[in-house]
Amino acid sequence: MSNAAYPLGRTAYLLVDPYNDFLSEGGKVFPLIKPIAEQVGLLDNLRALDRTVRSLDIPVVIVPHRRWEKGDYENWDHPSPSQCKIQHMHHFARGEWGGEWHPDFAPKDGDIVVSEHWGSSGFANTDLDFRLKQMGVTHVIIVGLLANTCIEATARYAQELGYHVTLVRDATAAFKPEMMHAAHELNGPTFAHAIVTTDELIATLAQ
């Protein structure tokens, strides 16, 4: 890979929260994103991107949310609304099926799994920035769930830290069309350097 848009050795593929609860039938959150996931072809697009980035030796970095454990958030002064939902619904519970990786997107040999994020940003209070900088990464492609929460927060933080940020509008999903619209048409253009479709990104990477 030698194109200027995504330079070899300086680009990483960040896959956020590829849990069964988000991506698999029977997952606790999947029913809420299923209409949009099916509309945009989320799973097939993530599979296509996974094949492409691996064929080009682009590092795959798994950016996981905190897996719920008994006692989480109970003594917190002000957990966020999302954290309160996780506390009550036990999303991504550690040791349970919902907190396991979707089988198509489980880490493979050589992948990097960074420390779990408690909030929305994959950078806040984790080792993500440190690991990327140690690899010399300057460009990040951010996909996964959810478009208007963890993806947006991680991408905003990445831009603040000086990374070139790419969002992939059909390699993510949200609860409502309005949330997808806000993520890609209203908010994303204020911080992302590129907002593309899966096909557009694959075509660019293949140049």
Side-chain angles (χ1 to χ4, degrees), residues 122-139:
F123 285 96
N125 305 308
T126 76
D127 60 345
L128 177 55
D129 182 52
F130 177 79
R131 301 286 293 273
L132 293 176
K133 284 189 165 61
Q134 286 296 318
M135 295 190 296
V137 168
T138 56
H139 291 55

Side-chain angles (χ1 to χ4, degrees), residues 13 15 23 41-50 105 143-144 171:
Y13 177 77
L15 176 57
L23 293 173
L42 171 64
L43 289 168
D44 284 342
N45 289 332
L46 288 175
R47 292 182 184 108
L49 287 168
D50 185 80
F105 310 111
V143 302

